[in-house]
Amino acid sequence: MGASAVYPGSFDPPTLGHVSLVERGLAVFDKIIVAVARNPEKGALFTVDERVGLLKESLGGFPEGRIEIDLFEGLTVEYARSRGAGAILRGLRATSDFEYEFRMAMMNRHLEKGIQSVFLMADHQWFYISSSTVKEAASLGADISDLVPEPVARRLRGKFPARRLAQGPASR
Ligand code: ADP
């Protein structure tokens, strides 16, 4: 059996930054289990089942058998152990991610020494992209189609019909 990693997150919604991290993670690991955290979350735009569906559609192009999309609840290290994964994969964007990720990695190491936290730097193209900024921009009518996979863009357009930004303020 090859080395596998769990890539946990909220993925609300998946962005091209997430897709890029999976792609690059596959250069390191034989298999990546993308795992949507079921933990109760206020203000989520998509249900966990919708996010799983969006990830399946968005990651469909990767070789079958090397990617799996799943849901989990509770501690990431316990989930990783239950799946036989030796690593937790996370992305690092601007230094603002570091502090939080460092604390999480230390706690996870405390809980389970046999599972390594592995970080990949975000691709420069997606360095400033997060699910929350994408959601915010989309909710204000911005075109986010070059920041998220096509199925996500479609769903966001359904939720937030584009405003005609080019027209400027509405005339009275
Ligand atoms: P969480 O709520 O667990 O942070 P996210 O869905 O926001 O869930 O992020 C999941 C993981 O993907 C995190 O490790 C995060 O750093 C990483 N990530 C998010 N956006 C990007 C991006 N643009 N480029 C690379 N990694 C990213």
Side-chain angles (χ1 to χ4, degrees), residues 92-123:
L92 283 180
R93 285 161 293 177
T95 50
S96 52
D97 278 344
F98 180 80
E99 169 91 32
Y100 173 74
E101 294 293 342
F102 186 74
R103 277 188 279 122
M104 287 291 292
M106 289 301 118
M107 176 54 86
N108 286 337
R109 190 160 172 69
H110 174 76
L111 296 172
E112 171 60 87
K113 298 230 172 344
I115 294 177
Q116 305 305 323
S117 295
V118 174
F119 299 92
L120 289 178
M121 293 293 168
D123 192 274

Side-chain angles (χ1 to χ4, degrees), residues 147-159:
L147 305 177
V148 295
E150 166 51 27
V152 176
R154 222 180 314 125
R155 210 68 60 84
L156 283 171
R157 277 196 295 270
K159 281 198 190 277

Side-chain angles (χ1 to χ4, degrees), residues 24-35:
R24 292 166 50 233
L26 283 175
V28 182
F29 295 100
D30 298 304
K31 179 172 178 178
I32 294 184
I33 302 164
V34 184

Side-chain angles (χ1 to χ4, degrees), residues 9-14 18 41 43-47 51 131-132 135:
S10 313
F11 305 104
D12 182 43
H18 293 127
E41 228 185 294
L45 183 61
F46 293 97
T47 67
R51 289 180 244 161
S131 298
S132 52
K135 271 187 285 193

